Amino acid sequence: MCGIAGLIHRGKSSNVGGEMTSMLQALKHRGPDSTGFAVYGESTPGDYVMRFKVAEAEDMASGYEISGLIADRIAQVEGRLAEHGASIKSRETATPYAMRYVISHSGDTEALARYIEDVDGAEILSLGNSLELIKDLGDATVVSDQYKLGDFAGTHSIGHTRMATESDVDIRSAHPYWAFPYNDVSVVHNGQITNYWLKRREMERKGHRFMSNCDSELLAVYTADNLANGVSLEDSLRTSIEEIDGVFTYLVATSDALGMAKDTMAAKPLVLYESDDMIAMASEEVAIRAILPQEIDTYDPYDEEVRVWQA
Amino acid sequence: MAGMNETELRALSQEERAEALGMMSEQLTGRSMQAFFEPAEDENFLYPWAPVVDTAKRAEIDADGLSATEVNLKIRELMQDGVGTVRITNPRGMHSLGVGILSKLNLEFEGSLGYFAVGLIDGPNVRITGRVGWSCGENMMAGTVVIEKNAGSTFGAAIRGGDLVCRGSVGSRTGIDQKGGTIIVGGDTGALTGFMMQRGRMVFCGNAGKNLGDSMYDGTIFVGGTIQSLGVDAVEEPLTDLDKAWLTRKLGQYDLLPGEGVEHFKKIVAGRQLWNYDNLEPSEKKLIL
């Protein structure tokens, strides 16, 4: 089933971490396997926030050696950052296997990302000026508390609560997906993509990398490919309706925008609320009501509908 | 039946009541057969176990902090006490509220409801001041539901009777598998509206999405605005005087009659070619599909 949610404040910053936590917790019944957040905070020119992990949650129960492996992998990541001329300005650890680094870097971030992911077990969850992507097993409150998202300030956010249908229950298959290698672009999806392998092979032939077997990752890679080729976010969303086969509703966030697309069947739900100040959307109205309990007007987007909002 | 009120009817055994109502006893347990009832009988018809309620007796439930099950149980408890008008505040998009009410009741929701709102109902009059999510009124058998704002997809799926009214717009697949009753929408409807419709009527004052009436077997769809496309085996027919009279009366009943009247409405019915699909020659099948 899965649940997706998004919100964007126009021209102001808000507690998007806390708001998205409330929205996703209200959608817990749509999928308890994992929860993910993409939150967009304040950015400093030249600084990148890199969220990465060097193991899966399930690896922690695999024996005593995992701690040593994790330490070794982190050392390798830091070594490769230094080799690429990136300096680490701060380090935070939410779990033994998931890290948040603020780095200063002026080179090719895609090359840097590929070099780091070459470390065994390492995956960059997000790399951007304002994007921070957090995902782990458990419901929204568990993940939010673990990663201290309750008071995260920013302009917009997307989130996902997952019921695993197309791939395993692990962080690798959890949403959101960073639209690698396009900085600050993230994707959440509700649905099934039936031409996944066909499109995946097409993307792989172009040189794109896939970290999971989850069909939703295709939407992130597909979006990244379009954006890298100069296609606008709105056009990418519109084109996806023709080129991606299946039933899907998905949200894409960039450093200053939030977009949605719904397939030709309109078989996956989305409810929208829009005002002069903010836009909120979710698979079910209960999620919007979690942050806007007062009476509001909402509507369901129709089949093939595409919308993009600016922060 | 003539001259007998509800209380007197209840005093009779099921068989006696069936006889008094002039019906076969099995009809007492099958409201889906309501097409066989005369309107006057329908007014007095009731389930043997349904509580007797007085619509003048009112009560309120604050849904804040309650689960859907708790709210629905409270409604039933109030009905057992004879309360005939229940107002529910703070529903906040909660799912499955007001489902399975099988007798007369005035139900008022102050706010918006989530999925499966007032599904499987048989008789109550419901008013919802906000919007509803997917599958509102699914399998509704009798009664009236009026929603003041928008509704989600599969609005009125498989309804068999009653009036299901949304003053705003609705999502896709409205009235899928509809078997009777009336669906009225003040605004637009999405794709695949009336898919596999079997009986009843739908009225849309606004526009309809693509594949309207796809694979419908029977029933009638009226559209006041544009139709993106018709589905397989759905065809347009001219409006009759009877259609116009019915539309005028029905839309007027819910204050949804357009200022310009109903002359411009399009009438969509089943082409009925697919009904006889197995009897067609291969060349004819190709023409249809």
Side-chain angles (χ1 to χ4, degrees):
Chain A
M1 198 149 64
C2 299
I4 57 174
L7 78 153
I8 183 163
H9 293 272
R10 284 175 163 141
K12 72 178 174 76
S13 190
S14 182
N15 174 20
V16 291
E19 289 167 337
M20 185 51 65
T21 302
S22 299
M23 292 180 82
L24 293 178
Q25 193 63 14
L27 295 175
K28 179 183 173 182
H29 56 274
R30 293 187 69 90
D33 295 334
S34 59
T35 308
F37 301 76
V39 285
Y40 290 77
E42 301 283 331
S43 63
T44 306
D47 282 358
Y48 290 91
V49 179
M50 185 172 82
R51 290 267 187 182
F52 68 103
K53 65 179 180 65
V54 289
E56 287 283 336
E58 64 191 32
D59 295 337
M60 303 312 294
S62 63
Y64 295 109
E65 291 181 358
I66 189 68
S67 300
L69 274 174
I70 285 173
D72 181 52
R73 288 168 183 173
I74 291 172
Q76 284 189 62
V77 169
E78 293 189 356
R80 291 185 182 207
L81 281 169
E83 277 183 56
H84 254 263
S87 58
I88 302 169
K89 297 179 80 172
S90 71
R91 294 178 180 83
E92 287 174 51
T93 305
T95 67
Y97 48 83
M99 269 59 68
R100 176 187 187 270
Y101 284 10
V102 177
I103 60 171
S104 181
H105 184 244
S106 56
D108 181 350
T109 53
E110 180 185 352
L112 173 67
R114 287 186 184 279
Y115 194 42
I116 289 170
E117 287 195 342
D118 187 51
V119 174
D120 185 38
E123 180 185 347
I124 299 180
L125 301 175
S126 64
L127 178 59
N129 295 117
S130 55
L131 165 66
E132 296 199 34
L133 200 150
I134 297 99
K135 51 187 181 179
D136 213 321
L137 309 186
D139 68 28
T141 305
V142 168
V143 177
S144 181
D145 287 349
Q146 197 172 10
Y147 290 84
K148 299 179 179 60
L149 285 175
D151 55 0
F152 186 97
T155 49
H156 56 300
S157 172
I158 58 174
H160 187 270
T161 176
R162 180 166 189 257
M163 178 177 283
T165 54
E166 308 295 308
S167 52
D168 292 339
V169 178
D170 51 27
I171 302 170
R172 186 179 301 113
S173 304
H175 303 214
Y177 283 101
W178 170 35
F180 184 99
Y182 211 84
N183 291 329
D184 283 330
V185 179
S186 60
V187 173
V188 291
H189 163 232
N190 174 24
Q192 288 83 37
I193 296 168
T194 48
N195 63 346
Y196 165 65
W197 286 106
L198 189 73
K199 297 300 287 184
R200 175 172 170 159
R201 281 193 288 273
E202 191 182 303
M203 289 295 146
E204 284 175 332
R205 279 197 296 276
K206 288 183 175 184
H208 293 296
R209 74 91 165 97
F210 284 78
M211 296 301 288
S212 74
N213 288 320
C214 180
D215 61 348
S216 307
E217 189 182 8
L218 174 70
L219 290 166
V221 177
Y222 174 88
T223 304
D225 185 66
N226 281 337
L227 295 174
N229 287 311
V231 178
S232 70
L233 175 60
E234 186 166 346
D235 286 345
S236 177
L237 290 162
R238 218 170 279 290
T239 310
S240 72
I241 293 167
E242 292 170 14
E243 295 189 345
I244 304 292
D245 188 54
V247 288
F248 57 84
T249 295
Y250 73 102
L251 311 179
V252 181
T254 68
S255 59
D256 63 351
L258 174 58
M260 59 125 312
K262 207 166 184 180
D263 77 316
T264 55
M265 299 288 288
K268 293 295 174 183
L270 195 71
V271 181
L272 268 177
Y273 164 73
E274 186 168 4
S275 73
D276 292 340
D277 300 327
M278 74 172 291
I279 298 99
M281 65 205 73
S283 301
E284 297 174 18
E285 178 138 346
V286 280
I288 300 174
R289 295 286 170 182
I291 57 168
L292 294 165
Q294 72 274 23
E295 194 50 37
I296 51 173
D297 286 340
T298 56
Y299 91 102
D300 285 29
Y302 290 116
D303 49 294
E304 298 177 15
E305 192 160 336
V306 165
R307 301 280 302 273
V308 173
W309 300 269
Q310 294 294 318
Chain B
M1 186 187 71
M4 294 183 81
N5 62 31
E6 219 170 273
T7 310
E8 288 168 337
L9 275 170
R10 284 182 188 286
L12 303 176
S13 69
Q14 185 162 314
E15 289 73 22
E16 289 169 334
R17 194 178 306 129
E19 192 179 347
L21 291 168
M23 292 181 293
M24 300 294 289
S25 59
E26 58 264 33
Q27 287 178 309
L28 281 173
T29 54
R31 290 295 300 272
S32 63
M33 306 297 285
Q34 63 181 272
F36 297 109
F37 300 132
E38 288 298 318
E41 291 171 346
D42 188 64
E43 192 182 333
N44 288 314
F45 186 77
L46 42 96
Y47 280 97
W49 60 85
V52 177
V53 298
D54 177 2
T55 52
K57 202 171 169 184
R58 303 176 63 90
E60 187 169 312
I61 300 170
D62 185 349
D64 191 25
L66 299 180
S67 70
T69 306
E70 288 169 330
V71 173
N72 289 336
L73 281 174
K74 278 183 184 290
I75 293 171
R76 280 158 178 74
E77 285 166 9
L78 289 168
M79 289 169 73
Q80 292 296 339
D81 293 339
V83 174
T85 300
V86 181
R87 182 169 175 265
I88 294 154
T89 57
N90 299 312
R92 290 177 186 160
M94 205 186 304
H95 302 318
S96 308
L97 287 181
V99 296
I101 294 167
L102 304 176
S103 61
K104 292 173 185 172
L105 179 71
N106 286 337
L107 200 50
E108 301 168 2
F109 289 98
E110 290 289 329
S112 293
L113 275 58
Y115 287 12
F116 315 116
V118 296
L120 292 158
I121 56 169
D122 196 353
N125 292 319
V126 185
R127 182 170 171 268
I128 300 161
T129 63
R131 64 155 265 147
V132 294
W134 280 30
S135 300
C136 176
E138 185 165 337
N139 274 303
M140 170 182 177
M141 290 178 268
T144 305
V145 178
V146 179
I147 297 131
E148 297 295 333
K149 293 183 177 175
N150 298 325
S153 295
T154 58
F155 183 64
I159 72 164
R160 296 161 183 240
D163 284 0
L164 182 58
V165 184
C166 175
R167 294 194 193 283
S169 291
V170 296
S172 302
R173 302 180 298 286
T174 306
I176 181 172
D177 218 8
Q178 183 179 353
K179 297 178 175 73
T182 309
I183 293 172
I184 299 172
V185 176
D188 302 335
T189 184
L192 281 164
T193 292
F195 179 61
M196 293 184 74
M197 181 184 189
Q198 292 161 42
R199 286 182 69 183
R201 294 184 178 98
M202 272 187 252
V203 187
F204 302 98
C205 297
N207 306 321
K210 63 185 181 186
N211 294 327
L212 179 71
D214 193 280
S215 304
M216 64 191 287
Y217 297 99
D218 209 340
T220 311
I221 305 172
F222 298 101
V223 181
T226 60
I227 298 171
Q228 202 173 335
S229 69
L230 290 180
V232 171
D233 211 23
V235 295
E236 186 172 349
E237 258 189 10
L239 275 184
T240 65
D241 289 340
L242 198 63
D243 292 328
K244 291 172 196 169
W246 181 85
L247 278 169
T248 304
R249 182 174 62 82
K250 206 69 180 174
L251 291 176
Q253 194 178 336
Y254 297 104
D255 295 325
L256 287 170
L257 184 65
E260 65 273 28
V262 298
E263 293 285 338
H264 65 290
F265 273 69
K266 299 171 195 70
K267 179 185 180 184
I268 308 302
V269 297
R272 300 194 177 188
Q273 294 296 305
L274 291 178
W275 261 22
N276 304 311
Y277 183 77
D278 288 340
N279 298 330
L280 298 176
E281 294 298 320
S283 58
E284 291 175 314
K285 287 181 182 175
K286 277 184 187 170
L287 283 174
I288 291 167
L289 297 176

